[in-house]
Amino acid sequence: AAMGYVRQWDDFAEAAQQLFREHPNTVRYSVKYRHCDGKLLLKVTNNQQCLLYKTDQVQELKKVERLNNIFFTLAVKGASASVEEAEHATEELQPRSQDQLMGKQSGRKNRRRG
């Protein structure tokens, strides 16, 4: 199996999506964080082809999250699903305000009960 790290994120993400669409029943995707060196490792394989990507850049986490959502959408809706559907699904999962993100209920004061 051909194996090597893809250096550019866009190349990795495009090749990973293509591999998933071509072999939806055999592709596996794994994400591993190596705390000892602060690197995030991504692997997409179908046992014939293996795509690897590693990063230590926090800014790339949003890109990894987007790729996760694309894979979830492809797994649920099939290989013919569009990337736009995955992006729309991602938007639906995002909190609508900073208060919701922090777990506060909008329009009500947090009171201590005692």
Side-chain angles (χ1 to χ4, degrees), residues 22-42:
E22 290 172 2
H23 307 279
N25 296 324
T26 57
V27 166
R28 292 185 315 281
Y29 170 57
S30 67
V31 178
K32 179 165 63 168
Y33 178 70
R34 290 178 41 92
H35 183 70
C36 61
D37 55 8
K39 292 202 185 301
L40 186 68
L41 307 168
L42 291 98

Side-chain angles (χ1 to χ4, degrees), residues 8 12 17 21-22 25 34 38 58 66 68 103:
Q8 297 295 318
F12 173 79
Q17 290 175 58
R21 288 178 192 277
E22 290 172 2
N25 296 324
R34 290 178 41 92
V58 174
R66 182 173 178 263
N68 284 339

Side-chain angles (χ1 to χ4, degrees), residues 42-86:
L42 291 98
K43 177 179 174 181
V44 179
T45 183
N46 68 347
N47 292 338
Q48 309 295 315
Q49 219 178 338
C50 184
L51 303 168
L52 299 166
Y53 184 80
K54 69 180 169 183
T55 185
D56 59 1
Q57 300 299 307
V58 174
Q59 304 92 309
E60 291 196 332
L61 288 178
K62 284 286 183 196
K63 295 177 183 178
V64 172
E65 181 183 14
R66 182 173 178 263
L67 184 63
N68 284 339
N69 290 329
I70 289 170
F71 279 147
F72 288 144
T73 302
L74 292 173
V76 171
K77 297 194 174 192
S80 61
S82 69
V83 173
E84 288 76 27
E85 289 180 87

